[in-house]
């Protein structure tokens, strides 16, 4: 894995998987979905790696920069100011937190100093409005916020993961926030904050930890390193999958697991939970294996069209020349996720990577995961990328779920973009949104464009937007490519190495 010198902590591969959006957002309520792009290393007012985000708004026309917004902690109305290494834009989650019919956005800066605690972290919550995301009526959250049942600490990394969903079924989305530590370094924690007519509130907050709500093993487990929300049992309340990628399973250290907490009238409940590992009945592959870190990436979508969300999880399966990767798709049912009948996707399976010329390039295949209905058949499709190479797949949903026989492969070489660049990290984040309000969802793929291995980080980052015509032609209705310096882009002109595309909010 290429290291990024701007990141203060030498964290494991699990840290570097982009957040995986599962649903799309409409911030201005015009009926067209919008997106937010995180720019982790953006310099702001001279502060390196302060971080930023860009909002782009959908319309009946192809996506444009006409109404783009540049979001930093230096913006008027924000409850903070930029500083070196804040890394605003690390994780993004979207949802309608106040129930006004416009989606809102949470953006984390997990390396910000809080009460003199280095790398303690904050989350900025910004609300949608008629003209788009409002920067003047948001709220900043941290472990120091009254009502949050924790406290700021060195290397807490509050906001390392985010997920939004309506866990109590009251019509307002709620927010889950993952942190790096809880007492023991790397143990991890998740804070649950609920929506209200005034937006996110701490009145009913819950604090989940590995020691109380995770697995019996203690120590460095990274409970909450990744989060994913979806309605797995079809009760109209969303549920929460919490990754524990460094969990020990049997005698296999760092094999990884996911803990699933189900929604209820009172929100996320901890009385009845579910643990998914590679040893769970029906899971494909070779069972739990040390250092595969199941759950290092996750996404949700309804892949079989039964009105229950399903969960896709990545594991870092080894290949002949290093980590190759695999993805497990676990399907929802009327009670809980069922591992029996799950779909197993192995990058070394010739039915998955059909082009042998690219098999050796597929390191960490599955570390980029997303979902969306790219063929307009009413079932979500699974987007899988190998975000340290130039390769990805779309597996199309069906009445039987994800099928190996129905897929399209994506090569960066085949997209116009601005040309293949060594180490571009094509597919760092992937997702889908219906930006123009008609036809299939658009496929969105980011790349960090960090330059050649032997050169300093010089790339700005970019996003590819593919307008599918049908399952056989992912660019049948068009293609666009944007960078942070595209004409008309708000905030254009910043220095290089911005990592624009580190995260997506959809």
């Amino acid at each position: 894995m290429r290291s990024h010198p701007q990141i203060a902590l030498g964290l494991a591969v699990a840290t570097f998987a982009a957040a995986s959006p599962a649903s799309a957002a409409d911030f201005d309520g015009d009926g067209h979905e919008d997106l937010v792009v995180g720019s982790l290393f953006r310099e702001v007012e001279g502060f390196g790696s302060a971080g930023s985000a860009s909002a782009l708004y959908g319309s009946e026309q192809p996506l444009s920069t006409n109404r783009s917004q540049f979001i930093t902690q230096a913006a008027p109305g924000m409850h903070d100011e930029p500083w070196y290494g804040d890394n605003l834009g690390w994780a993004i989650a979207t949802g309608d937190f106040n129930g006004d019919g416009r989606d809102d956005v949470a953006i984390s800066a997990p390396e910000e100093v809080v009460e003199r605690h280095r790398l303690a972290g904050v989350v900025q919550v910004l609300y949608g409005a008629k003209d788009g995301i409002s920067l003047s009526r948001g709220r900043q959250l941290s472990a120091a916020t009254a009502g949050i049942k924790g406290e700021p600490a060195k290397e807490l990394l509050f906001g390392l993961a985010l997920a939004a969903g309506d866990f109590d079924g009251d019509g307002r989305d709620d927010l889950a926030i993952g942190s790096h530590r809880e007492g023991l370094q790397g143990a991890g924690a998740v804070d649950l904050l609920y929506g209200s007519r005034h937006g996110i509130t701490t009145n009913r907050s819950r604090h989940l930890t590995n020691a109380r709500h995770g697995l019996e093993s203690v120590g460095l487990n990274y409970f909450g390193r990744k989060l994913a929300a979806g309605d797995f049992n079809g009760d109209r309340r969303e549920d929460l999958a919490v990754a524990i990628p460094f969990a020990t399973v049997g005698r296999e250290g760092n094999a990884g697991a996911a803990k699933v907490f189900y929604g209820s009238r009172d929100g996320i409940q901890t009385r009845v939970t579910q643990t998914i590992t590679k040893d769970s009945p029906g899971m494909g592959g070779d069972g739990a294996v040390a250092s595969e870190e199941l759950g290092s990436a996750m996404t949700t979508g309804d892949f079989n069209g039964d009105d229950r969300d399903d969960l896709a999880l990545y594991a870092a399966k080894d290949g002949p020349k290093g980590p190759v990767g695999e993805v497990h798709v676990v399907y929802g049912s009327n009670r809980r996720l069922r591992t029996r009948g799950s779909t197993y996707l192995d990058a070394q399976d010739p039915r998955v990577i059909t082009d042998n010329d690219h098999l050796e390039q597929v390191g960490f295949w599955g570390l980029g995961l997303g979902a969306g209905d790219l063929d307009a058949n009413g079932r979500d499709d699974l987007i899988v990328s190998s975000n340290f190479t130039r390769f990805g797949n779309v597996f199309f949903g069906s009445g039987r779920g994800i099928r190996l026989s129905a897929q399209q492969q994506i090569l960066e070489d085949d997209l116009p973009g601005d040309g293949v660049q060594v180490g571009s990290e094509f597919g760092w984040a992937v997702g889908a949104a219906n930006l123009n309000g008609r036809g299939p969802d658009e496929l969105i793929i980011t790349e960090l464009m960090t330059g050649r291995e032997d050169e300093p980080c010089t790339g700005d980052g970019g996003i590819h937007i593919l307008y599918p015509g049908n399952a056989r032609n992912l660019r049948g209705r068009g293609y666009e490519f944007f960078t942070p310096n595209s004409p008309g882009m708000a905030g254009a002109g910043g220095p290089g190495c911005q990592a624009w595309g580190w995260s997506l909010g959809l």
Side-chain angles (χ1 to χ4, degrees):
M1 183 187 76
R2 179 186 293 111
S3 63
H4 292 268
Q6 294 89 337
I7 297 175
L9 292 181
L11 298 175
V13 169
T15 305
F16 296 101
S20 300
S23 60
D26 180 6
F27 303 120
D28 54 6
D30 68 350
H32 300 98
E33 293 170 359
D34 313 310
L35 74 153
V36 175
V37 183
S39 185
L40 194 68
F41 302 147
R42 174 64 188 253
E43 180 181 305
V44 179
E45 295 189 348
F47 298 107
S49 297
S52 69
S54 302
L56 298 170
Y57 291 89
S59 71
E60 294 180 357
Q61 305 301 317
L63 191 67
S64 75
T65 61
N66 291 343
R67 296 175 54 214
S68 60
Q69 279 181 283
F70 182 53
I71 302 169
T72 76
Q73 296 193 113
M78 292 286 279
H79 298 274
D80 207 341
E81 57 187 22
W83 192 250
Y84 298 102
D86 283 347
N87 290 150
L88 181 72
W90 182 289
I92 304 174
T94 64
D96 185 1
F97 301 131
N98 56 12
D100 67 352
R102 302 182 180 98
D103 284 304
D104 316 305
V105 63
I107 308 172
S108 74
E111 298 194 2
E112 180 163 329
V113 175
V114 177
E115 295 185 350
R116 298 187 179 182
H117 296 285
R118 186 174 63 89
L119 310 179
V122 304
V123 174
Q124 300 287 357
V125 179
L126 305 172
Y127 294 96
K130 181 178 180 181
D131 296 325
I133 296 170
S134 171
L135 304 185
S136 62
R137 47 187 286 262
R139 182 176 189 183
Q140 178 178 286
L141 303 168
S142 75
T145 301
I148 292 182
K149 299 175 176 65
E151 58 184 26
K154 178 183 177 182
E155 298 176 4
L156 175 67
L157 296 178
F158 182 85
L160 195 60
L162 298 173
D166 185 2
F167 304 129
D168 55 7
D170 69 350
R172 304 179 183 100
D173 285 318
D174 314 307
L175 182 64
I177 303 173
S179 299
H180 173 60
R181 67 180 297 171
E182 169 66 27
L184 294 170
Q185 175 74 13
V190 176
D191 287 285
L192 300 172
L193 307 178
Y194 288 89
S196 72
R197 64 188 180 92
H198 300 295
I200 290 295
T201 177
T202 61
N203 293 343
R204 298 165 50 210
S205 68
R206 294 287 305 272
H207 187 67
L208 307 181
T209 68
N210 187 63
R212 295 188 60 190
H213 308 101
L215 303 180
E216 292 182 357
S217 59
V218 297
L220 189 148
N221 287 290
Y222 292 158
F223 176 86
R225 177 54 57 83
K226 296 295 170 185
L227 303 170
D231 183 6
F232 303 130
N233 55 12
D235 67 353
R236 306 308 176 194
R237 301 180 181 100
E238 291 189 87
D239 314 306
L240 181 67
V242 178
I244 318 175
F246 272 33
T248 296
V249 179
R251 296 184 177 181
E252 303 295 326
N254 300 351
K259 191 83 171 184
V260 183
F261 298 86
Y262 287 89
S264 73
R265 183 177 60 182
D266 298 320
I268 290 295
Q269 52 89 17
T270 58
R271 182 175 53 86
V272 179
T273 63
Q274 179 181 12
T275 300
I276 296 174
T277 74
K278 288 182 61 179
D279 282 347
S280 296
M283 292 285 276
D286 46 9
V289 176
S291 301
E292 290 196 347
E293 301 175 22
L294 180 71
S296 296
M298 301 189 296
T299 197
T300 60
D302 183 5
F303 302 121
N304 55 11
D306 66 353
D307 292 325
R308 303 178 182 97
D309 285 320
D310 314 309
L311 177 66
L313 309 96
Y314 160 83
K317 180 176 182 177
D318 272 343
K321 297 185 178 181
V324 175
E326 64 185 21
V327 175
H328 300 260
V329 183
V330 182
Y331 296 97
S333 72
N334 59 1
R335 293 186 59 193
R336 55 168 51 194
L337 288 167
R338 50 184 174 84
T339 55
R340 297 186 186 277
S342 61
T343 298
Y344 175 58
L345 304 172
D346 180 356
Q348 297 178 96
D349 186 333
R351 296 173 298 172
V352 172
I353 309 297
T354 59
D355 185 346
N356 290 331
D357 292 339
H358 288 87
L359 182 57
E360 293 186 1
Q361 302 177 23
V362 190
F364 303 104
W365 182 85
L367 204 50
L369 290 175
D373 187 1
L374 302 176
D375 55 2
N377 71 348
R379 304 178 181 98
D380 284 323
D381 310 308
L382 178 64
I383 309 160
V384 184
S385 67
S386 174
N387 61 16
F388 287 92
T389 57
R390 304 192 299 272
F391 190 86
N393 302 68
V394 172
F395 296 92
F396 292 95
S398 73
R400 294 178 292 172
I402 296 299
R403 295 180 297 157
L404 287 173
S405 59
Q407 65 152 306
Q408 284 284 306
Q409 297 188 8
I410 311 163
L411 300 178
E412 183 186 26
D413 312 47
D414 295 338
L415 301 178
D418 61 352
V420 174
Q421 184 179 12
V422 175
S424 68
E425 292 168 356
F426 173 80
W428 184 266
V430 293
N434 201 309
L435 300 170
N436 58 15
R438 61 181 184 274
D441 289 344
E442 283 74 59
L443 172 60
I444 304 170
I445 306 170
T446 79
E447 62 176 74
L448 299 188
M449 299 194 308
T450 51
R452 298 180 180 275
E453 294 282 356
D454 57 351
E455 293 180 353
C457 177
T458 57
D460 292 326
I463 57 172
H464 304 260
I465 300 181
L466 287 68
Y467 293 79
N470 51 52
R472 295 183 179 274
N473 188 351
L474 293 174
R475 287 195 287 152
R477 294 185 298 126
Y479 167 85
E480 294 181 286
F481 181 75
F482 294 93
T483 77
N485 293 315
S486 291
M489 186 73 71
C497 195
Q498 298 184 36
W500 193 77
W502 177 275
S503 55
L504 284 173
L506 301 169

